[in-house]
Amino acid sequence: MIMAQKTVLRKPLGFIDVYKHKPGAEKDRTHYCPGCGHGIIHKLIAEALEDFDIVDKTIVISPVGCSVFAYYYFHTGNLQVPHGRAPAVATSVSRANPDSVVISYQGDGDLAAIGGNNILQAANRGENMVVFFVNNAIYGMTGGQMAPTTLEGQKTTTTPYGRNVKTDGYPIQMCEIINQLTAPVYVVRTSLHDMPNIRKTRAAVRKAISNARDKKGFSFVEVLSMCPSGWKMDSVPAQNWIKENMIPRFPLDTFRDISEDMPAIERPIPVMDPDKVKNILGYSALSDSNLEKNPDADFDKVALRVAGFGGQGIMSAGIALANVGMEYGYNVSWLPSYGPEMRGGTANCSVKIQEDTVGASECTEPNMVIAMNQPSLEKFEQIIVPGGALIYNTTLIDKEPARRDVKVYPIPITGIADELGDTRVQSMVNVGAFAAVTGMFDPGEIENLMSSLFKGKPESVIKLNEIAVRKGYKYVKENFS
Amino acid sequence: MNENRKYPFPEIDPDICKGCVLCVASCPKDVLVISEKLNSKGFHYSEYVGEGCIGCGNCYYVCPEPSAVIVYLKDYVPEEVS
Amino acid sequence: MPRKLMKGNHAAVYGAILAGCKAYYGYPITPASEIAESASLLFPKFGRTFLQAESEIAAINMVYGAAGCGQRVLTGSSGPGISLKQEGISYCAGSALPCVIIDIMRGGPGLGNIGPEQGDYNQVLKGGGHGNYKVIVLAPNSAQEMCDLTMLAFELADKYRNPVYVLTDGVIGQMMEVVELPEPVTGLPDKSEWAIYGTADSRHLINSIYLDHDDLERWNRELMKKYAVIQKNEVRVEEYRMDDAEIVTIGYGSSSRVLRSAIDIARERGIKLGMLRPITLFPFPAPEIASLPDRGLKGILTVEMSDGQLVDDVNLALSGKMISDLYNRMGGNVPTALEICEKVSELYGV
């Protein structure tokens, strides 16, 4: 229809007038070989961009392959990208500029071999982009090697005896694969082998580009295209070769066309305003004032190991203590044993609370250990510095510690928690016990911090943990004063 | 361009044409031919025989070189191009 | 300043948000996964992009795209993932795209383990990717620096149009410390001269191809000039008890934290130990290290969690005027302060 309105067919405005990025003198012509299908597809794209008046807002991603130099030609934003990665780059380009029309232009080696995963994943995410997949069954740029789409028996420079499907596999049918995914809105295979099919290709190109313009999502246009140089034949026989050899393997079809039903994709507008950023990060709820330290505390510096089974609140006890230490204005650090160690089995963490800047964060010579089970006691008892403290969980440990040069605090930590009706509160029993043993923290102040320590938890949980702190604190005061 | 020429007609840049013959093969009226002459790049370029063009645009759409073929259609008015 | 107890990995994401980073593209890998997890939690709250890529390679190429569109963009990974990203990082350097890559190093080679190590030093510093390029490398050793240096990384990336690494190890990433949260950055730099926004005025080209040999050589020389400026202007070090030090230790990241403890213990024993900590690994503090022999030292000891990768650069900087000794641990082991003190006594008879 649009064609009828035109009175002249000339180089479309989607192309750069003079190919300034092209080195050498010939800035008025492409680098493509005579009869190459790329030039035809480029022209159809450039024409559509002009006709839809979207040249300005289009961004073309040039791949590696013969069309590596697509950026010479399109009068658009251009990115030249690593081999196979055009759909990944197009993804972030589209996310960054949601109002733009993003075109990923790729050959068969680029798209279906080295970039096979990238194209599938971009399609599967339904990125708002058009992918033009130029299938000429060969690696053109590198000199005619086998492509994933090379036909059975086809001779190339790396299949001199013809493609053997038993060793090289079968030609990959990308449209059929893409069509297995839910997200794409338009999947079509066309061909350049004669004029009616070039005109069908033109229609497909325009449909796909209008989809991206209208933010409909992911469109995939595979075009069977001539490579006369690579195939070592003239242009017209090359067209016939597509018809006779490629189309039986790569049937022409509109595999999917559901763009009409799709709503436009909407992307959020990034929040950059500093006050809003601080508000979202919760700056106003974070304090910068210190609680008063206890000058008569038994400890002025703690290097603590908390150890036990995973699930005994080892990590949360350590984090709670580090948090409280922070509120008192101490320098603190907390270091977990991480990774697979945490999945079942034992867990331990190092906590440092001190006036000075913390050096090493792992407590290799702790002055306090909280051992929640027998293996932890065995592992960490020996590394406590003389004069240090050892808290151990008598509910689960029946063997007495051997060390006589450290102060020992046998406490039924799990038992106290169980009495409160929830084993999980044993971490806060430990926090209470720690406060009593060290004298560094006031249990009342810890209670004041509970709502921030258990942010988002129900009041009942906070209350129960408060009681657990009290119980741990009281147990030490009553039994070891 | 010769203003007395009869629209529609194609204009093929003999220097840019790479002589792939796709336009010749796709012309329904057989009014394109390959020149006996070589251009500066050594290609036998395509030429319009001078009459018989129906403005179908085949040569334009089949040509892989964006600047090689212009087709002035029958309603073309030279003033449009500025 | 408001303060918060947080893991180094989380602090880096806060730093990114405060620096105006608009997009995070990454792939899960221990011990860096918290960066992706934290970004997935936080970025959507700001309408910014978080996307879990299909691969490390896809992630760095998404970074390439976002950077080409002028966004401040972040990815995070660990050794094996960084290996995969190297091609893309070379493209970012070749196309002069600013971006930030966090590498939380783990044990290697191969699958190695997930313990803390510093074996990525060479692959990060010596251009693990192809071609002539350098990346700026910042080496935080605390949660605070994970936040602050991530912010700085974005600033330097934009200033020099170059990829910047934040390079640290599993200990710094996993450790929680108090972070004083800075003010968000205002007034991001204008990139309209080269970035692509999908507008008529921004129809630029992001590209690393120079077919003509002379053009490519020219571009390489421009890059060399840029790196020389970076070397001149951006070296950052921390000195600890260096004033009267007779033995100087050199280490970054986790090992520098242990060195601080070791120095305090050594000083109690009357040993005058000090530390020079590179905060920037490129630019490497070569002039600072080269001047150490002028102090009349008893020795220089490089402490690292890798197989001598750092000490090579230290000795290159010393140019034979002195030779640094090496104490190293690997495989996920972190040196202890006492081990270092013993090594110092053994080497220097103190």
Side-chain angles (χ1 to χ4, degrees):
Chain A
M1 298 300 110
I2 291 165
M3 255 197 71
Q5 299 159 10
K6 292 187 182 183
T7 59
V8 61
L9 302 173
R10 41 108 189 96
K11 181 178 162 185
L13 296 178
F15 285 123
I16 300 175
D17 187 24
V18 176
Y19 306 139
K20 60 182 178 183
H21 296 304
K22 189 168 179 258
E26 296 171 351
K27 296 190 193 301
D28 56 355
R29 63 198 72 186
T30 70
H31 71 291
Y32 293 115
C33 305
C36 172
H38 279 303
I40 300 173
I41 302 164
H42 280 24
K43 190 189 282 181
L44 296 177
I45 293 169
E47 183 199 27
L49 298 182
E50 177 186 349
D51 291 349
F52 299 159
D53 196 18
I54 52 173
V55 179
D56 289 357
K57 60 192 272 188
T58 299
I59 302 171
V60 175
I61 318 290
S62 308
V64 167
C66 284
S67 46
V68 64
F69 300 121
Y71 68 84
Y72 288 169
Y73 311 119
F74 291 108
H75 196 198
T76 58
N78 285 286
L79 293 95
Q80 197 292 314
V81 305
H83 200 16
R85 313 305 168 208
V89 176
T91 293
S92 57
V93 168
S94 168
R95 300 293 184 104
N97 298 312
D99 294 331
S100 63
V101 174
V102 179
I103 294 174
S104 173
Y105 188 102
Q106 302 180 259
D108 39 38
D110 190 80
L111 182 139
I114 196 166
N117 190 23
N118 299 116
I119 187 63
L120 290 183
Q121 302 288 343
N124 193 45
R125 287 190 297 266
E127 298 294 345
N128 187 45
M129 63 169 76
V130 187
V131 176
F132 291 111
F133 171 40
V134 181
N135 178 359
N136 56 20
I138 207 159
Y139 279 69
M141 188 64 140
T142 46
Q145 295 83 9
M146 180 183 75
T149 49
T150 290
L151 298 177
E152 299 174 42
Q154 185 183 343
K155 287 188 179 175
T156 70
T157 55
T158 51
T159 53
Y161 309 110
R163 183 179 190 153
N164 179 348
V165 296
K166 293 206 172 94
T167 53
D168 304 325
Y170 293 82
I172 288 184
Q173 296 159 302
M174 285 309 299
C175 277
E176 288 79 349
I177 293 173
I178 299 282
N179 195 33
Q180 295 302 307
L181 303 171
T182 306
V185 295
Y186 183 51
V187 182
V188 63
R189 181 184 289 124
T190 65
S191 165
L192 303 181
H193 71 275
D194 61 17
M195 275 323 296
N197 280 285
I198 288 174
R199 290 186 191 277
K200 279 185 192 167
T201 301
R202 181 173 181 269
V205 165
R206 297 170 86 84
K207 171 82 187 172
I209 288 175
S210 65
N211 283 346
R213 175 198 60 194
D214 301 337
K215 304 184 184 182
K216 296 288 190 175
F218 187 89
S219 297
F220 187 82
V221 181
E222 175 174 346
V223 184
L224 306 185
S225 177
M226 302 80 81
C227 179
S229 299
W231 298 349
K232 297 179 174 50
M233 57 179 84
D234 289 336
S235 308
V236 175
Q239 283 187 307
N240 290 333
W241 195 83
I242 291 177
K243 187 179 173 188
E244 285 161 19
N245 297 285
M246 289 188 77
I247 290 174
R249 183 73 209 186
F250 301 109
L252 306 181
D253 199 359
T254 299
F255 295 84
R256 189 184 306 181
D257 182 4
I258 55 170
S259 51
E260 294 294 324
D261 310 328
M262 303 304 284
I265 292 172
E266 283 178 40
R267 302 280 186 215
I269 295 162
V271 176
M272 304 305 284
D273 176 74
D275 288 332
K276 284 183 186 158
V277 168
K278 287 196 285 188
N279 191 28
I280 295 170
L281 287 176
Y283 272 35
S284 60
L286 300 173
S287 84
D288 54 3
S289 60
N290 297 335
L291 298 170
E292 202 176 319
K293 287 172 190 150
N294 176 8
D296 303 322
D298 295 311
F299 284 69
D300 59 354
K301 180 172 186 170
V302 174
L304 167 71
R305 279 274 186 163
V306 191
F309 295 127
Q312 283 188 304
I314 305 301
M315 300 300 169
S316 51
I319 292 170
L321 288 170
N323 259 308
V324 177
M326 171 180 76
E327 297 296 343
Y328 276 90
Y330 287 105
N331 279 299
V332 301
S333 71
W334 171 89
L335 179 73
S337 58
Y338 63 85
E341 284 183 88
M342 292 172 69
R343 295 179 192 113
T346 62
N348 78 80
C349 64
S350 291
V351 180
K352 286 199 170 179
I353 304 172
Q354 61 190 60
E355 291 285 353
D356 304 334
T357 303
V358 177
S361 51
E362 187 178 8
C363 298
T364 48
E365 295 97 30
N367 66 355
M368 185 185 289
V369 163
I370 299 176
M372 292 295 287
N373 62 13
Q374 186 68 41
S376 299
L377 181 65
E378 285 164 12
K379 188 170 176 188
F380 292 111
E381 182 187 354
Q382 295 311 319
I383 63 169
I384 307 171
V385 295
L390 169 62
I391 296 171
Y392 76 98
N393 180 14
T394 55
T395 315
L396 297 178
I397 304 173
D398 43 22
K399 214 170 113 188
E400 277 198 22
R403 289 286 292 271
R404 291 289 169 263
D405 60 344
V406 297
K407 194 161 184 198
V408 178
Y409 298 87
I411 305 175
I413 298 158
T414 308
I416 291 170
D418 285 342
E419 271 175 32
L420 292 174
D422 190 341
T423 312
R424 283 176 299 179
V425 301
Q426 54 194 332
S427 62
M428 296 313 283
V429 176
N430 276 329
V431 169
F434 176 95
V437 168
T438 60
M440 291 170 95
F441 303 152
D442 177 76
E445 296 289 7
I446 298 176
E447 279 175 26
N448 293 338
L449 297 171
M450 289 305 268
S451 54
S452 72
L453 290 176
F454 290 88
K455 202 174 153 196
K457 292 278 169 16
E459 190 58 35
S460 59
V461 170
I462 294 171
K463 201 75 215 158
L464 192 62
N465 278 286
E466 268 179 32
I467 299 168
V469 173
R470 283 280 173 196
K471 288 270 184 188
Y473 187 83
K474 206 167 139 212
Y475 190 91
V476 171
K477 287 288 178 195
E478 285 176 357
N479 292 283
F480 307 108
S481 286
Chain B
M1 189 174 63
N2 180 353
E3 304 230 340
N4 300 323
R5 290 172 75 174
K6 196 176 144 200
Y7 297 104
F9 68 89
E11 190 175 78
I12 296 167
D13 186 323
D15 193 50
I16 287 181
C17 174
K18 290 174 176 169
C20 72
V21 313
L22 286 173
C23 57
V24 176
S26 66
C27 178
K29 294 294 176 188
D30 293 328
V31 292
L32 296 175
V33 295
I34 288 295
S35 172
E36 298 275 306
K37 292 184 228 159
L38 292 170
N39 66 13
S40 65
K41 303 301 291 180
F43 293 119
H44 289 285
Y45 51 88
S46 171
E47 282 181 316
Y48 177 44
V49 298
E51 58 183 32
C53 174
I54 57 167
C56 70
N58 280 5
C59 55
Y60 172 80
Y61 284 107
V62 80
C63 177
E65 268 305 311
S67 316
V69 178
I70 299 173
V71 179
Y72 299 95
L73 301 175
K74 73 173 165 46
D75 297 329
Y76 179 75
V77 181
E79 285 74 25
E80 273 184 36
V81 178
S82 56
Chain C
M1 278 194 271
R3 66 191 177 189
K4 190 175 167 72
L5 184 74
M6 58 204 306
K7 281 192 172 189
N9 282 342
H10 294 156
V13 175
Y14 270 63
I17 285 169
L18 294 170
C21 172
K22 280 189 181 160
Y24 182 95
Y25 296 98
Y27 187 82
I29 183 169
T30 308
S33 295
E34 277 107 350
I35 298 175
E37 289 167 6
S38 183
S40 73
L41 188 69
L42 286 173
F43 274 53
K45 289 186 185 178
F46 297 85
R48 307 190 194 179
T49 303
F50 169 85
L51 196 154
Q52 182 171 325
E54 60 268 26
S55 67
E56 296 280 5
I57 297 170
I60 192 65
N61 281 284
M62 291 169 181
V63 166
Y64 180 93
C69 296
Q71 290 192 325
R72 287 192 162 179
V73 56
L74 177 68
T75 187
S77 189
S78 184
I82 297 295
S83 303
L84 286 164
K85 287 185 193 294
Q86 291 287 14
E87 181 200 30
I89 293 166
S90 170
Y91 270 74
C92 289
S95 301
L97 292 180
C99 58
V100 177
I101 304 142
I102 302 178
D103 178 3
I104 310 294
M105 291 182 280
R106 56 185 258 177
L111 199 49
N113 65 31
I114 57 166
E117 220 192 50
Q118 297 177 332
D120 289 359
Y121 182 92
N122 275 350
Q123 82 148 336
V124 164
L125 266 299
K126 311 295 178 182
H130 56 285
N132 305 308
Y133 74 94
K134 287 182 185 296
V135 287
I136 297 170
V137 182
L138 308 178
N141 79 348
S142 64
Q144 183 71 54
E145 283 194 348
M146 286 293 276
C147 177
D148 295 347
L149 293 187
T150 300
M151 294 182 75
L152 177 64
F154 282 105
E155 194 185 311
L156 294 177
D158 283 340
K159 185 173 175 187
Y160 295 104
R161 285 189 64 186
N162 208 70
V164 179
Y165 273 93
V166 175
L167 179 71
T168 193
D169 57 72
V171 171
I172 306 298
Q174 295 290 328
M175 179 174 59
M176 277 182 137
E177 290 186 305
V178 179
V179 176
E180 292 192 335
L181 294 169
E183 287 289 303
V185 165
T186 54
L188 294 175
D190 177 16
K191 305 180 184 178
S192 58
E193 272 191 19
W194 58 268
I196 297 172
Y197 302 123
T199 58
D201 296 336
S202 69
R203 287 182 286 182
H204 302 298
L205 169 63
I206 303 295
N207 182 26
S208 58
I209 305 179
Y210 297 84
L211 274 191
D212 182 89
H213 297 195
D214 291 334
D215 285 347
L216 184 55
E217 185 174 42
R218 207 172 296 125
W219 174 231
N220 272 298
R221 292 207 183 279
E222 267 181 52
L223 288 177
M224 283 182 75
K225 267 187 221 159
K226 174 169 83 174
Y227 302 143
V229 172
I230 293 169
Q231 179 69 54
K232 186 162 168 280
N233 294 340
E234 304 298 346
V235 171
R236 286 165 173 81
V237 293
E238 181 200 12
E239 294 192 349
Y240 184 59
R241 302 184 90 161
M242 282 288 283
D243 285 348
D244 59 345
E246 295 174 352
I247 301 161
V248 170
T249 61
I250 297 174
Y252 70 96
S254 274
S255 23
S256 68
R257 295 290 295 263
V258 181
L259 281 172
R260 178 181 270 271
S261 297
I263 288 162
D264 291 345
I265 294 169
R267 291 270 173 173
E268 281 170 24
R269 296 176 182 177
I271 302 169
K272 288 184 173 173
L273 199 60
M275 172 174 69
L276 183 71
R277 169 170 81 98
I279 295 173
T280 53
L281 293 171
F282 177 76
F284 194 68
E288 288 74 7
I289 289 171
S291 68
L292 288 177
D294 302 340
R295 295 174 178 240
L297 301 174
K298 284 181 185 165
I300 299 172
L301 177 65
T302 300
V303 177
E304 60 181 281
M305 288 145 64
S306 47
D307 62 349
Q309 299 182 30
L310 175 63
V311 79
D312 280 353
D313 275 353
V314 171
N315 279 325
L316 196 63
L318 288 169
S319 301
K321 282 192 276 179
M322 276 182 84
I323 291 175
S324 171
D325 295 297
L326 168 68
Y327 181 68
N328 66 333
R329 296 296 307 270
M330 289 174 288
N333 291 315
V334 178
T336 68
L338 287 177
E339 276 171 31
I340 292 167
C341 288
E342 280 161 25
K343 189 71 186 175
V344 166
S345 296
E346 177 198 317
L347 283 168
Y348 309 113
V350 290

